[in-house]
Amino acid sequence: MTHVDPACAMAAGDIPPDLGPRTLVAVFASPVATHLLHFATDLGYRSLLLEPDPHLVPEEPSFDSLSTVDSSVIGPDTDVVVTDHDRPELGQILLKMLETDARWIGVMGSVRHIAQHIPALRALGVAEPDIARVHRPIGLNIGSKSPAEIAISTLAGLIADRNGRPGGFAF
């Protein structure tokens, strides 16, 4: 009698993955957000774009969009990725996100640059433990440069985090 490993059967496409509910909210329309939402949909996420400026929402998006933070949509199965750390609305949107039950909140940005979200949240009176809930940098350290690579790195990091793994090549 041969024992079939369920992980192998899943990888072969013989049985569907049981991913449970998961939502990805990409904040601010950007090339990274477009790739992030596309790949996230392929990974079983419900994909949403949060863009407060209706002129920046793609004309024919392949994903749903929000114009404001909606706590009825953002819950404990939601991962939030801010894809533009220079937008003037950054602090206000993060403040509203911190008031939700989002599982994970992160802001894209290089470690070589000042994290703009920290002074923005402090100016709004957000407590340090809440500011610490916002992850930066995000994604696995694979040397990403292009929007598609940044999206893949970010999603790989989120999957590792959801699975309680460190990511990278450490097992």
Side-chain angles (χ1 to χ4, degrees), residues 18-65:
D18 180 16
L19 302 174
R22 44 172 82 175
T23 300
L24 179 81
V25 177
V27 180
F28 302 134
S30 71
V32 171
T34 300
H35 288 286
L36 201 57
L37 295 168
H38 171 77
F39 296 146
T41 300
D42 290 342
L43 292 170
Y45 283 83
R46 175 178 173 216
S47 298
L48 301 169
L49 172 68
L50 189 150
E51 176 52 70
D53 184 342
H55 298 98
L56 297 178
V57 176
E59 287 190 27
E60 294 184 33
S62 58
F63 38 79
D64 292 330
S65 63

Side-chain angles (χ1 to χ4, degrees), residues 88-95 98 115-128 130-131:
E89 313 97 310
L90 177 66
Q92 285 293 332
I93 287 183
L94 283 173
L95 174 66
L98 287 167
Q116 299 299 323
H117 72 284
I118 295 173
L121 290 172
R122 285 181 180 148
L124 294 169
V126 176
E128 293 299 319
D130 289 328
I131 293 172

Side-chain angles (χ1 to χ4, degrees), residues 165-171:
R165 302 297 172 94
F169 289 103
F171 291 88

Side-chain angles (χ1 to χ4, degrees), residues 85-87 90-91 94 107 113-121 136:
H85 55 80
D86 291 322
R87 291 277 296 264
L90 177 66
L94 283 173
V107 177
H113 300 105
I114 296 171
Q116 299 299 323
H117 72 284
I118 295 173
L121 290 172
R136 186 179 169 278

